[in-house]
Amino acid sequence: MSNEELLRHHGLRTTALRLDLLRLLQASDRALTHQEFEGGLKVEADRVSIFRSLNAFVEAGVAHRVLDGRGTSCFARCGTDCGHGHHNDTHAHFRCNTCGHVYCMDPIELPGVALPRGFKLAKSYLELDGTCKGCR
Amino acid sequence: MSNEELLRHHGLRTTALRLDLLRLLQASDRALTHQEFEGGLKVEADRVSIFRSLNAFVEAGVAHRVLDGRGTSCFARCGTDCGHGHHNDTHAHFRCNTCGHVYCMDPIELPGVALPRGFKLAKSYLELDGTCKGCR
DNA sequence: AAATTAAACGCAACTGTGTTGCATTTCAAA
DNA sequence: TTTGAAATGCAACACAGTTGCGTTTAATTT
Ligand SMILES: [Mn+2]
Ligand SMILES: [Mn+2]
Ligand SMILES: [Zn+2]
Ligand SMILES: [Zn+2]
């Protein structure tokens, strides 16, 4: 599916900015920060528009947001089974302590956890850190 | 061990601010944000000093930092086996989707994860969300 | 008890991420 | 081609967190 089709399939208009952002997402093997998007774009775009497009991606199920461990957001392409307000990205994320890059791992089963009385679990997230392949 | 002793045991000077922060940490069953510390203090303190004290706590192994899922930091007391630059808080954290509060869970074994070639694991973190005991 | 010194503090300024309001432009459908 | 809603640009803002620097204070030494 082309990126134009992808956007329309998720109910988003195809604009130059969004196609450019998708291009960067596709070309990367890891999650990208707002800064990295801004620095990699071919088209001119206001930083606010980038934020808004990335938020639209997340809401539409085109991308998912990951925190980089220091509080800033990274974004990575979703799989094929994510849609509007409906994410299915049940994989761990790995953050490199050297370069700070965040990688999506292969899907994995998470262990059941015993919660204290009164707590109701919705989702579990496994975060990993260490050294990435480029930094050793 | 008193809070005075605790601070000295970790190589930190005992000041009115730090004792007040420790009091708030002790009294809470969950991790607290900078804002909550600032709002709960009995002594007057600059926000910068609060940040610096909390950072000192983390470095000394008195408290550990947890991200609240929206990028801001929360802090909770460490167990007895944390020291200077040496943390041992291997428990999951639960964030309530309603009130945003973050709770430390009981220690748990995490599953081994198969990483891609070249990745070297240092630590794993399990993050949970859902509804907390006060919010259902 | 007084002097000493490094640590802690207060204040001001700054950085970076992310958001909101509003006017203008542009996409997509009629 | 017209049209209306969605997307964008710009300015302003909110908030967490940091840095530099001069002053105060805690702990140690005399
Ligand atoms: Mn991912
Ligand atoms: Mn904890
Ligand atoms: Zn790396
Ligand atoms: Zn709650």
Side-chain angles (χ1 to χ4, degrees):
Chain A
M1 178 157 45
S2 75
N3 283 342
E4 284 91 343
E5 290 170 317
L6 178 80
L7 286 173
R8 237 170 276 136
H9 183 260
H10 287 82
L12 297 174
R13 291 192 177 179
T14 72
T15 70
L17 170 58
R18 289 178 177 174
L19 290 172
D20 211 358
L21 292 172
L22 279 183
R23 177 184 62 81
L24 292 171
L25 274 180
Q26 303 269 31
S28 176
D29 66 335
R30 57 181 179 84
L32 299 175
T33 64
H34 166 83
Q35 261 195 353
E36 291 170 320
F37 283 111
E38 195 168 20
L41 286 177
K42 289 178 179 167
V43 303
E44 291 274 321
D46 193 82
R47 49 188 296 279
V48 176
S49 301
I50 300 174
F51 276 120
R52 286 201 260 233
S53 282
L54 293 173
N55 285 339
F57 286 177
V58 172
E59 208 177 328
V62 171
H64 59 278
R65 180 194 309 265
V66 200
L67 294 181
D68 79 341
R70 271 186 292 290
T72 59
S73 294
C74 304
F75 299 87
R77 276 284 324 257
C78 283
T80 52
D81 48 353
C82 297
H84 186 87
H86 156 306
H87 278 269
N88 220 31
D89 313 286
T90 60
H91 54 261
H93 292 104
F94 181 98
R95 178 175 40 88
C96 176
N97 292 324
T98 304
C99 65
H101 292 170
V102 174
Y103 299 82
C104 297
M105 300 286 105
D106 289 332
I108 190 184
E109 277 297 310
L110 289 188
V113 186
L115 295 181
R117 298 246 170 273
F119 285 72
K120 198 160 179 184
L121 183 68
K123 280 186 96 175
S124 315
Y125 309 87
L126 183 62
E127 309 290 334
L128 313 170
D129 67 16
T131 311
C132 84
K133 60 183 187 303
C135 286
R136 38 184 327 187
Chain B
M1 179 160 41
S2 74
N3 283 340
E4 284 91 342
E5 290 170 318
L6 178 80
L7 287 172
R8 237 171 275 136
H9 183 259
H10 287 82
L12 298 174
R13 290 191 179 182
T14 71
T15 71
L17 170 58
R18 289 178 177 173
L19 290 173
D20 212 357
L21 293 172
L22 280 183
R23 176 183 64 80
L24 292 171
L25 274 179
Q26 303 268 30
S28 175
D29 65 336
R30 57 180 178 84
L32 299 175
T33 64
H34 166 84
Q35 259 195 356
E36 292 171 319
F37 283 112
E38 196 168 20
L41 285 177
K42 289 179 179 167
V43 303
E44 292 275 320
D46 194 83
R47 50 188 296 279
V48 176
S49 301
I50 300 174
F51 277 119
R52 287 201 261 234
S53 282
L54 293 173
N55 285 339
F57 286 177
V58 172
E59 208 177 329
V62 172
H64 59 280
R65 180 193 310 265
V66 200
L67 294 181
D68 78 343
R70 271 184 291 290
T72 58
S73 294
C74 303
F75 300 86
R77 277 285 323 259
C78 283
T80 51
D81 47 354
C82 296
H84 186 87
H86 156 308
H87 278 269
N88 219 32
D89 313 287
T90 60
H91 54 263
H93 292 105
F94 182 97
R95 178 174 44 85
C96 176
N97 292 323
T98 303
C99 64
H101 292 169
V102 174
Y103 299 82
C104 299
M105 299 286 105
D106 288 332
I108 190 186
E109 276 299 308
L110 289 189
V113 186
L115 295 182
R117 298 244 171 273
F119 285 72
K120 197 159 179 185
L121 182 68
K123 279 186 96 175
S124 314
Y125 309 88
L126 183 62
E127 309 290 335
L128 313 171
D129 67 16
T131 311
C132 85
K133 60 183 187 302
C135 286
R136 39 188 323 192

